[in-house]
Amino acid sequence: QATGATSDYFNNCGWVAPALVDAGLNDFPDGEAAVGGIYTNAWKEYIGTTLLATMEAGSNYQFSFYVAGTCINNLGQSTGYNISIMPPVDITLYGCTNGTNLPLSTYTSPPEADPTWIEIGHVSYTPQQTWQQVTINFTVPVDINAIMLGAPVNLPDAYSASQNLCYPYISYDSLILNDASLFDVNISQSGSFCEDNLVLVSNIENS
């Protein structure tokens, strides 16, 4: 949870929002868990983290993740509408030099709450009720030590909080951020998080 608005963590070992289950989205692309948040003009939910290493000004990076959308009500239940009724939206990545500047006490976008947060990249996403992988390639203008992911500053009008047909909910899984030159790394998995025997093995293909 990166802001005052409550982004969510789902795990098949515990709780998953009923709307995601009804849509079949709890068949997560990677493991047994995913995260997500609401995209509306009056209430925007972001995920975020302090980075393990600084993203250096002028360097190129790649952020790859899976994304899926669904319509929910304020209890996380299905509304009967498909997320495809919503227009395309920019899933936006924000960065901040101050690595301790989390969480922000806001229900809107990071730059609106604190101008030290800047947009560092985005990807146009047409909401679909299936998992798909997207990628953001970007160059940071300043050193970045913390990031947030979520709605853009300005959402399309259809993403109004008064929209009763669909509160747009966007879920994410398998989020991987690294130097763009290092994306020839394959990670294999054995075991299960739920059975407490999960093992990840990385294989670097580039020389």
Side-chain angles (χ1 to χ4, degrees):
Q1 182 179 336
T3 64
T6 52
S7 54
D8 305 293
Y9 169 78
F10 305 115
N11 196 308
N12 284 323
C13 300
W15 186 79
V16 178
L20 271 69
V21 176
D22 292 345
L25 297 178
N26 60 322
D27 183 15
F28 301 127
D30 185 12
E32 297 297 322
V35 293
I38 290 174
Y39 278 47
T40 65
N41 286 303
W43 184 273
K44 298 172 182 173
E45 298 180 343
Y46 295 88
I47 61 170
T49 186
T50 297
L51 299 177
L52 298 177
T54 300
M55 288 196 289
E56 298 180 354
S59 296
N60 301 320
Y61 295 90
Q62 183 169 311
F63 189 31
S64 174
F65 54 95
Y66 283 88
V67 61
T70 190
C71 291
I72 68 169
N73 62 19
N74 60 354
L75 298 176
Q77 300 167 333
S78 299
T79 64
Y81 291 88
N82 193 295
I83 191 69
S84 62
I85 67 173
M86 305 305 293
V89 63
D90 286 341
I91 299 176
T92 304
L93 182 65
Y94 302 92
C96 182
T97 297
N98 182 358
T100 64
N101 197 12
L102 284 170
L104 287 183
S105 179
T106 184
Y107 306 110
T108 184
S109 69
E112 292 174 280
D114 182 340
T116 65
W117 283 92
I118 60 173
E119 178 181 335
I120 55 176
H122 67 266
V123 60
S124 179
Y125 170 63
T126 300
Q128 297 179 32
Q129 209 161 272
T130 57
W131 287 104
Q132 58 182 297
Q133 192 174 36
V134 297
T135 298
I136 302 174
N137 292 291
F138 60 99
T139 302
V140 291
V142 296
D143 287 354
I144 298 294
N145 289 292
I147 58 171
M148 287 194 212
L149 183 69
V153 173
N154 298 307
L155 279 163
D157 290 342
Y159 289 77
S160 170
S162 63
Q163 171 64 267
N164 293 321
L165 302 180
C166 176
Y167 285 95
Y169 195 91
I170 306 299
S171 300
Y172 318 100
D173 193 18
S174 190
L175 299 97
I176 302 173
L177 169 66
N178 215 327
D179 186 287
S181 66
L182 299 179
F183 261 76
D184 288 329
V185 177
N186 290 324
I187 299 177
S188 61
Q189 171 183 322
S190 62
S192 167
F193 176 85
C194 294
E195 297 174 4
D196 198 26
N197 62 355
L198 177 65
V199 176
L200 302 177
V201 177
S202 63
N203 177 34
I204 300 176
E205 293 184 346
N206 62 349
S207 56

